[in-house]
Amino acid sequence: MTSRLDYAHAAPEGMKALGVAHSYVAASGLGKALVELAYLRVSQINGCAYCLDLHTRALINEGFTVEKLALVSVWREAEALFSERERAALAWAETVTRVAETGVPDAEFAAVSTQFSEKELADLTIAIGLMNAYNRIAISFRATPAAVKRAGKV
């Protein structure tokens, strides 16, 4: 895969603005592991190789096991590996990412609201929206995953 455009160079102020949102989410109090888990699930749905590589590595650094990481995309079948809060975040990440299909049903909102305060839910939704934006940028401009670069395949 060949990179199409260095978007950080082409639009530094735009990327800086996204960085401000990223910093906000990081300081929101949701916890790095939970945010990274949501980022990973969004990136799986969107098929963003660059972000899958990045967030998988971040979750390994947060202590996630290979077994748990391998089952994120099928978390409902492996729910015993995920806390109630993680399952709620994963379900919310899925429905918000697929908003055009789901319309984000009231039942999904009610379920996630049992695990997150209003502020936490707003922050989680900001994180999900942010990762959807990053995925669209990375996919559109063919950002190269770090693993591919390290393998010398670029």
Side-chain angles (χ1 to χ4, degrees):
M1 172 170 64
T2 302
S3 180
R4 292 178 169 166
L5 175 85
D6 180 351
Y7 48 87
H9 179 74
E13 291 303 311
M15 294 310 296
K16 183 178 176 183
L18 288 175
V20 170
H22 188 268
S23 294
Y24 171 81
V25 170
S28 70
L30 287 171
K32 184 170 175 59
L34 184 77
V35 170
E36 290 291 343
L37 182 62
Y39 286 167
L40 180 65
R41 186 64 191 118
V42 169
S43 298
Q44 287 174 334
I45 293 165
N46 290 326
C48 183
Y50 177 84
C51 294
L52 285 170
D53 180 69
L54 180 71
H55 301 297
T56 298
R57 291 173 194 287
L59 285 165
I60 289 169
N61 288 338
E62 288 297 308
F64 270 56
T65 64
V66 171
E67 293 82 6
K68 189 170 181 174
L69 283 169
L71 296 172
V72 170
S73 66
V74 292
W75 62 269
R76 285 180 177 86
E77 295 174 45
E79 69 178 26
L81 293 176
F82 300 92
S83 70
E84 282 187 61
R85 194 166 162 91
E86 288 171 334
R87 291 192 306 268
L90 288 164
W92 191 246
E94 290 176 358
T95 196
V96 171
T97 297
R98 294 178 173 133
V99 65
E101 299 164 31
T102 69
V104 188
D106 290 340
E108 296 282 350
F109 175 77
V112 76
S113 294
T114 67
Q115 294 299 315
F116 294 93
S117 69
E118 287 184 356
K119 181 189 181 316
E120 288 174 327
L121 186 51
D123 289 343
L124 179 60
T125 307
I126 290 166
I128 293 163
L130 177 64
M131 188 47 48
N132 274 286
Y134 274 131
N135 287 168
R136 280 147 180 78
I137 293 166
I139 292 167
S140 296
F141 299 124
R142 306 291 190 255
T144 305
V148 174
K149 286 181 181 178
R150 278 193 296 281
K153 303 295 183 185
V154 185

